[in-house]
Amino acid sequence: MTSGRRRVPYLLLAPGLLWLAIFFVLPLFFMGIIAVEEGSLEEGFSLTWRFANFTDSISRFDTQFVRSFIYAGIATALCLVIAYPLAYAIAFKAGRWKNALLLAVIAPFFTTYLIRTLAWQTILFDNSPIVDALKFVGAVPDDGRVLDTTGSVIAGLTYNFLPFMILPIYASLEQMDRRLIEAGRDLYSSARTTFLKVTLPISMPGVIAGTLLTFIPAVGDYINADLLGSSNQAMIGNVVQGQYLDIKDYPIAAALSFVLMAMILVVVAVYIKFAGSEALMGDEEERGAA
Amino acid sequence: MQADRAGTAGTSIRRVFVATWVIVATLALAACGSDLGGGGREGEVETAAAEGEASGDLFVSNWPFYIDGKTVGEFEQESGLSVEYKEDINDNNAIFAKLQPRLQNGESEGRDILVVTDWMAKKMYDLGYLQNFDKSAIPTVAENLVPNLQSPSFDPEREYSAPWQAGMTGLIVDKSAAPDVTSINDIFDPKYKGKVTVLSELRDTIPLIMKADGVDVENATADDWLAAIDKLDAAVGSGQIRDVTGNDYVDDLARGDATVAIGWSGDAVQLQADNPDIEFVMPDEGCIIWSDNMVIPVGAPNPTAAYEFMNYVYEPDNQAQIAAYNSYVTPVSGVQEIFQEEDPALARSELIFPSEDYQQDCSTQPNPPTDGGDEVEQAFESVTTGG
């Protein structure tokens, strides 16, 4: 009886673990093997444990690595600035419009990612009314353009990943006990202080989840750079694609993917260390009590 | 007691983990004998044998916008074959990457005919991924193939390839915005800064830039290729060239984001339908000539049907229907005569029937030299990914 009950958690974990073993660990293993192979398509690839593939992939594509992290960083920051007020408004001020607004946030997902991004080409092309208007107000120089620039790629990333920032922040604000805000006011705290000392800390798990959900896929994204940027905006995802499809240097493509994964892990680890894992997981004591 | 039980559960979960790792490790070791690449089939190319009357199914993979809506149905009726015609080739490199692991094992995923560009046909052949034709099975192809496509350098005897269509790489220009463009060097003219696109095809773009610098592209050295790539790199870096693109340059031209592009002849005709100002311009320095070829991959289930289809599209009447649709250079003689009666404007088109005079400075699509070719490919990839 007891023994059976003790097995329950493991049984519940089993399908997930099995899935991860087959579709994550196993491919990762294969990719790891390919990453230390050497050769060419014509002569065949052989396993020579060439770990220099990793250092090569960094030194050859450092520009694109740096570019990817900068683009993803800016896009994540922009998402946060846009998403927080919006999530706040939906959670606290929307009233009967709440569901409609949430639907509006999710609505873009009803269309495929590719088509949504392609649509921006027709919005931002050189002779579009929007670009004319931007030129008129001086936001874009008269001989400038919007499409195929760094700006359009970052804007595309921001647009495409915005819902991943809004939803976690909304979820954490929505669960918040409103009486805490009242309590803050009762203690003669200004609205600003209440927000900074009460609301913001409580919403931190949402903010951190949102930034991770935005940043991680944005670093590896290649669709936005491909469709909204020129070759000067190519990100590391585009490099992997090119090395795999055009050059057919499978080991370098695999090594690049590993390096990217390692870099993201480091950045995320530092970030969580800095932000505090309690913020992400919830307070230890709080969980203990619950 | 309880601790004991917990211990048992712990042990069993550990056993599961160990078992999983053993499986994973075994499979990983199996992967060490990785079968990515490495021909080994070289030198023993088989001939796809034709066997009696064609029957059954035929699976053709081709590029989009390469066939009209009627030909396949009419062929099915005439031959009694059931045809799966898939427009699933968008890029020589991509289709190669997709099929390579299967071809390596001698399988074609059911495909009987693939259509790939000259250099890719050669590359696949050298890797042992293609079969030789049984020439006795394709008399119509032998009879009607135009003379200047009969012995290309990559397959002098046409042993394993039959052109589907040929084309020219040159300039496609929006005449309303850039009326004076006549030379490849005009893509570097500051007047058109940010309004120029070039193809992400190494063998189209770089030879044209070399031609503009007076290099004999068919005998160019790796250094010549690299110099042209450097020149392109500088122009992309400065923003003179807006983008290095695949087939999407067509959209850039249609929207007006590009006014000068290095592009493929047939696209110009299709773009003209929407914007009459867009034209194919034969560069002063000449163009690059290529063809896309029908080939029979290893493991093709029904070569007999493939030959039947090749013969069919090489009948001038059938070919006329295809050529009228896609506006590329037709490889079949006798089509021009048909157009002269049915549609004289098409018969006069230099894009479908380029005269010797029109193509006098053009070169067949060259490959980077074997020695240093990898470096050239990497350098070009570095330009297209903004390195």
Side-chain angles (χ1 to χ4, degrees):
Chain A
M1 215 21 206
T2 335
S3 152
R5 202 176 285 174
R6 282 192 174 275
R7 291 228 172 99
V8 168
Y10 299 120
L11 287 174
L12 290 175
L13 273 174
L17 284 178
L18 197 65
W19 188 268
L20 281 179
I22 296 175
F23 293 106
F24 177 68
V25 180
L26 196 59
L28 207 64
F29 232 98
F30 278 78
M31 207 170 80
I33 298 288
I34 295 171
V36 290
E37 284 184 344
E38 205 177 353
S40 70
L41 199 60
E42 283 78 10
E43 291 146 20
F45 295 98
S46 51
L47 185 58
T48 56
W49 302 101
R50 188 173 187 278
F51 287 96
N53 283 344
F54 295 107
T55 43
D56 282 1
S57 63
I58 299 175
S59 58
R60 272 170 57 194
F61 302 106
D62 52 341
T63 326
Q64 289 92 339
F65 271 116
V66 171
R67 192 183 286 150
S68 301
F69 278 88
I70 291 178
Y71 286 7
I74 298 176
T76 308
L78 283 173
C79 277
L80 184 59
V81 170
I82 299 168
Y84 201 98
L86 189 62
Y88 188 90
I90 297 175
F92 294 134
K93 312 283 182 197
R96 64 195 177 91
W97 294 104
K98 191 186 273 187
N99 287 337
L101 284 171
L102 276 178
L103 188 69
V105 168
I106 303 169
F109 287 119
F110 297 161
T111 318
T112 55
Y113 184 27
L114 204 64
I115 299 295
R116 269 184 282 144
T117 312
L118 272 171
W120 280 96
Q121 285 190 349
T122 33
I123 298 171
L124 297 178
F125 73 100
D126 290 10
N127 302 323
S128 80
I130 307 239
V131 174
D132 285 344
L134 287 171
K135 282 181 181 167
F136 183 74
V137 299
V140 173
D142 278 344
D143 60 346
R145 62 173 195 238
V146 177
L147 196 62
D148 298 334
T149 63
T150 302
S152 61
V153 175
I154 293 176
L157 288 169
T158 308
Y159 159 75
N160 274 311
F161 294 108
L162 188 59
F164 295 109
M165 185 70 91
I166 297 175
L167 294 175
I169 298 179
Y170 165 79
S172 61
L173 286 171
E174 168 66 17
Q175 292 166 1
M176 177 181 167
D177 189 340
R178 310 294 158 92
R179 290 172 302 184
L180 291 172
I181 300 178
E182 287 166 31
R185 299 246 174 82
D186 290 346
L187 294 168
Y188 297 104
S189 162
S190 67
R192 187 165 163 270
T193 320
T194 316
F195 174 76
L196 290 177
K197 299 250 171 186
V198 179
T199 317
L200 190 58
I202 289 178
S203 64
M204 273 320 269
V207 170
I208 292 178
T211 43
L212 293 179
L213 283 176
T214 308
F215 182 77
I216 296 172
V219 178
D221 185 83
Y222 67 98
I223 300 277
N224 287 282
D226 193 25
L227 298 181
L228 302 179
S230 73
S231 37
N232 285 329
Q233 278 80 40
M235 294 170 69
I236 203 69
N238 307 86
V239 173
V240 174
Q241 186 192 23
Q243 290 297 319
Y244 191 84
L245 288 184
D246 299 338
I247 305 290
K248 296 172 195 77
D249 192 339
Y250 301 151
I252 286 290
L256 276 167
S257 311
F258 261 103
V259 170
L260 178 65
M261 203 158 60
M263 286 182 175
I264 292 176
L265 275 176
V266 170
V267 170
V268 169
V270 169
Y271 177 69
I272 290 184
K273 179 99 186 146
F274 177 73
S277 56
E278 305 86 42
L280 184 64
M281 312 289 192
D283 195 6
E284 196 67 33
E285 280 166 45
E286 219 174 85
R287 273 192 299 159
Chain B
M1 197 60 193
Q2 237 182 358
D4 245 346
R5 287 220 173 98
T8 322
T11 319
S12 69
I13 197 76
R14 223 170 291 140
R15 265 193 216 129
V16 172
F17 271 119
V18 170
T20 314
W21 279 111
V22 168
I23 294 170
V24 166
T26 317
L27 286 165
L29 281 174
C32 294
S34 151
D35 57 355
L36 291 168
R41 301 176 59 93
E42 288 106 299
E44 37 174 311
V45 181
E46 286 168 20
T47 299
E51 288 159 5
E53 284 288 296
S55 61
D57 300 326
L58 172 69
F59 185 171
V60 181
S61 267
N62 205 341
W63 300 62
F65 306 113
Y66 241 5
I67 200 164
D68 57 282
K70 284 189 290 184
T71 299
V72 171
E74 289 168 2
F75 171 71
E76 281 184 315
Q77 272 204 329
E78 195 179 301
S79 65
L81 291 162
S82 154
V83 181
E84 182 172 359
Y85 182 95
K86 247 192 194 167
E87 298 184 326
D88 62 352
I89 303 182
N90 256 308
D91 180 315
N92 283 301
N93 281 312
I95 190 72
F96 180 86
K98 182 178 164 185
L99 293 180
Q100 190 267 334
R102 307 298 297 271
L103 291 169
Q104 185 67 32
N105 291 334
E107 296 160 22
S108 68
E109 287 189 341
R111 289 169 172 80
D112 298 299
I113 294 180
L114 293 175
V115 178
V116 291
T117 310
D118 305 324
W119 64 273
M120 180 52 80
K122 164 105 173 96
K123 178 173 184 143
M124 293 176 89
Y125 187 75
D126 288 348
L127 283 164
Y129 296 166
L130 304 181
Q131 303 189 64
N132 281 328
F133 290 161
D134 179 348
K135 293 248 187 114
S136 64
I138 43 172
T140 321
V141 177
E143 189 185 335
N144 293 335
L145 178 59
V146 294
N148 65 356
L149 287 172
Q150 278 168 6
S151 54
S153 59
F154 77 97
D155 183 11
E157 303 284 316
R158 283 286 178 198
E159 279 179 292
Y160 60 91
S161 65
W164 174 264
Q165 302 285 270
M168 294 171 280
T169 312
L171 294 164
I172 300 186
V173 178
D174 185 340
K175 283 282 177 187
S176 64
D180 317 320
V181 172
T182 57
S183 156
I184 295 294
N185 279 318
D186 291 334
I187 66 175
F188 301 111
D189 186 337
K191 253 196 299 192
Y192 308 119
K193 184 170 179 179
K195 291 288 190 183
V196 181
T197 67
V198 301
L199 291 167
S200 56
E201 295 283 336
L202 171 67
R203 292 160 184 81
D204 284 316
T205 298
I206 298 305
L208 280 176
I209 294 175
M210 289 195 289
K211 275 172 113 50
D213 285 335
V215 175
D216 169 14
V217 297
E218 272 142 80
N219 297 306
T221 63
D223 285 340
D224 293 329
W225 285 77
L226 290 170
I229 292 172
D230 276 347
K231 190 172 173 185
L232 175 67
D233 191 25
V236 171
S238 72
Q240 168 70 24
I241 289 176
R242 182 189 183 105
D243 203 358
V244 186
T245 75
N247 225 333
D248 330 343
Y249 78 96
V250 179
D251 302 321
D252 288 317
L253 278 166
R255 281 195 303 262
D257 288 353
T259 53
V260 185
I262 288 184
W264 294 304
S265 53
D267 287 341
V269 179
Q270 297 180 11
L271 280 163
Q272 261 164 12
D274 286 329
N275 181 352
D277 289 329
I278 296 179
E279 275 178 26
F280 181 80
V281 172
M282 172 62 74
D284 294 341
E285 300 89 350
C287 69
I288 299 297
I289 301 172
W290 45 266
S291 46
D292 286 339
N293 307 277
M294 294 182 272
V295 295
I296 299 183
V298 289
N302 196 351
T304 317
Y307 295 135
E308 180 92 10
F309 184 72
M310 291 182 189
N311 285 325
Y312 183 84
V313 296
Y314 267 77
E315 286 290 347
D317 282 327
N318 304 332
Q319 176 64 213
Q321 191 165 304
I322 297 172
Y325 168 79
N326 67 31
S327 308
Y328 277 100
V329 178
T330 178
V332 178
S333 44
V335 174
Q336 195 163 16
E337 289 74 12
I338 294 173
F339 282 157
Q340 262 152 9
E341 284 178 20
E342 291 176 0
D343 192 343
L346 281 180
R348 281 194 302 272
S349 166
E350 290 275 23
L351 297 184
I352 304 180
F353 306 103
S355 57
E356 294 242 329
D357 205 29
Y358 186 66
Q359 287 191 317
Q360 59 176 345
D361 296 319
C362 293
S363 318
T364 30
Q365 195 173 48
N367 275 309
T370 333
D371 203 17
D374 289 348
E375 201 189 335
V376 169
E377 298 251 10
Q378 287 285 8
F380 186 69
E381 183 68 19
S382 168
V383 177
T384 63
T385 53

